Amino acid sequence: MLGFRESYVGSTVAAEVIGASGSEQTHMLTIDKGSRDGLRPDMAVITKDGVVGKLRDVFPATSEVLEINDPSSGAGVVLATTRIRAILRGTLGGRVQIGNLTADSRIQPGEQVLTSGGDQVYPRGLPVGVVESIAPDPDHQPYTAIRVRPAVDLDRVEEVLVITGMQADLTPAAQQDLADAAAQHAADLSAERLPGIHDDETPGAANGTAAATPPAANAPPVVPHPLPTMHPDRFTSGSTPPASEMTPGAASSAPSSQSAPSSPQPRPSQAQPQPEATK
């Protein structure tokens, strides 16, 4: 285990477990290293198999480790296949589960759970466990209770590594991993881009096919323009004479191509009197 080192872990301190909490409601470990060995609270504690927890209380010669299955613990995780980010917490029964996700058919039992690095405690990419079961959470609808089987047997931990520092410069393998991840992210963004203004005018768009001739590699970008108006305004500013020159009841001056306006209805004051109804 002393030779184990993650790609992004700079330095670690090996420690031995010398005690554990005797309560079923708390899950703590006591290790034989403390502040005199450079340990501080909130440092990640791991084994060669994966994440154990983090340091909570640090004393000169000993430290207490809060395991990931403790109800007061928490960790930012990401599902390895679907790349869904979530928050992992412990339960009162000593289990590990994800409870902040709604039902998603992409999440299946057997998917590996890794640390996301977003909590600023655990480095990115450390094994946390495997999705064991997925069920609706009756106490927190509409969320689901995703139970995770820890990668480390937390009841039989004897030796651990405390991560005391991260690498200032990434290894060539880590740099290649980041470059591959960035390229994949860019490809995902291109595949999910929104349709453009002229997508319906692209040759072949009517029958669902792409353009026959792709644009040149060094061609200047095409600036999109709005489509022409389907129903232009027929009334142009200045074509109508002012009201002072118009005579009520005069013939319409509209061109013959347009339909003549309907005759005005008489006002109520000018209407002809109706004959009195016969009694």
Side-chain angles (χ1 to χ4, degrees):
M1 189 176 65
L2 294 177
F4 167 77
R5 175 170 294 184
E6 280 291 327
S7 299
Y8 307 105
V9 175
S11 57
T12 59
V13 172
E16 184 178 354
V17 177
I18 59 176
S21 60
S23 173
E24 295 182 356
Q25 285 72 33
T26 59
H27 299 273
M28 305 279 296
L29 298 176
T30 303
I31 58 177
D32 61 348
K33 296 295 174 63
S35 58
R36 291 184 299 190
D37 303 286
L39 304 188
R40 300 188 307 274
D42 291 335
M43 284 185 171
V45 180
I46 62 175
T47 69
K48 62 182 180 62
D49 297 322
V51 173
V52 174
K54 65 179 180 180
L55 298 182
R56 192 183 72 168
D57 298 324
V58 177
F59 306 100
T62 60
S63 300
E64 291 185 349
V65 179
L66 183 68
E67 295 182 286
I68 58 173
N69 61 340
D70 188 271
S72 61
S73 68
V77 296
V78 59
L79 304 183
T81 303
T82 59
R83 311 308 299 174
I84 298 177
R85 293 179 179 269
I87 298 176
L88 182 130
R89 297 186 181 278
T91 65
L92 293 175
R95 299 184 180 275
V96 180
Q97 73 175 24
I98 297 172
N100 68 320
L101 295 180
T102 56
D104 194 327
S105 60
R106 297 175 298 173
I107 304 175
Q108 299 294 331
E111 183 167 4
Q112 189 177 11
V113 182
L114 308 173
T115 54
S116 63
D119 51 17
Q120 302 297 317
V121 174
Y122 301 100
R124 179 173 61 90
L126 296 178
V128 177
V130 177
V131 174
E132 190 173 25
S133 63
I134 305 170
D137 191 345
D139 299 329
H140 304 88
Q141 290 292 337
Y143 297 106
T144 57
I146 303 175
R147 184 174 297 177
V148 178
R149 182 174 69 253
V152 179
D153 189 352
L154 301 175
D155 296 330
R156 298 185 178 182
V157 179
E158 297 181 355
E159 296 176 343
V160 296
L161 292 174
V162 182
I163 300 177
T164 58
M166 304 295 295
Q167 290 184 359
D169 298 326
L170 298 181
T171 62
Q175 294 178 2
Q176 184 63 36
D177 291 343
L178 292 179
D180 295 342
Q184 181 63 35
H185 181 64
D188 294 342
L189 291 180
S190 300
E192 297 177 0
R193 71 179 185 89
L194 295 175
I197 295 180
H198 293 297
D199 283 354
D200 55 349
E201 293 184 344
T202 304
N207 54 8
T209 58
T213 305
N218 56 354
V222 178
V223 180
H225 299 283
L227 299 176
T229 306
M230 297 181 60
H231 301 286
D233 190 359
R234 294 179 300 175
F235 303 97
T236 306
S237 176
S239 61
T240 304
S244 59
E245 300 179 2
M246 300 180 65
T247 303
S252 175
S253 59
S256 58
S257 60
Q258 299 181 1
S259 60
S262 59
S263 58
Q265 298 294 333
R267 297 180 181 178
S269 60
Q270 298 177 355
Q272 298 296 329
Q274 299 293 333
E276 184 178 1
T278 305
K279 296 183 180 180

